Amino acid sequence: MLAYTYDEQQIELSETANEGDVEFRIRVIGNESFDQEMKAVQNDFEHNEVLTDVFFYAYKDHSYQFIVRQDYYTDFILALLKHRILRSVEWK
């Protein structure tokens, strides 16, 4: 299992497991803009060979929804870390 940390003053993040996927909701609440970082995460998954690994939805209020297939969970978490949306990731 992966445990991660993020700046709670900048974003709200929730993770909900469904049958075959995990839904992430991320809302920017601080002054920093994460629009470019969110687009970079989206770009990582849109340009690989698997079309159904992550679905991405952006909303006007700077909130984002990612629906991640279970087998791409680790890749997605590491992409959030790579683009500095998460501060740290560790195995538990």
Side-chain angles (χ1 to χ4, degrees), residues 40-52:
V41 171
Q42 177 187 10
N43 190 49
D44 285 356
F45 290 97
E46 282 186 347
H47 291 94
N48 67 12
E49 67 280 353
V50 181
L51 298 177
T52 60

Side-chain angles (χ1 to χ4, degrees), residues 9-81:
Q9 304 225 345
Q10 294 298 323
I11 63 172
E12 292 176 342
L13 189 150
S14 66
E15 174 183 337
T16 307
N18 295 323
E19 286 182 27
D21 56 324
V22 180
E23 179 182 332
F24 288 86
R25 291 193 173 263
I26 300 172
R27 188 168 77 93
V28 179
I29 57 175
N31 293 331
E32 273 188 57
S33 173
F34 283 91
D35 293 330
Q36 294 292 16
E37 290 83 352
M38 296 297 181
K39 281 299 253 183
V41 171
Q42 177 187 10
N43 190 49
D44 285 356
F45 290 97
E46 282 186 347
H47 291 94
N48 67 12
E49 67 280 353
V50 181
L51 298 177
T52 60
D53 50 1
V54 177
F55 293 104
F56 173 84
Y57 304 94
Y59 301 97
K60 290 182 182 181
D61 65 347
H62 297 284
S63 62
Y64 305 88
Q65 178 185 18
F66 296 92
I67 300 174
V68 181
R69 266 185 21 194
Q70 193 70 40
D71 52 335
Y72 282 88
Y73 178 85
T74 301
D75 295 336
F76 180 74
I77 294 294
L78 293 176
L80 292 177
L81 180 67

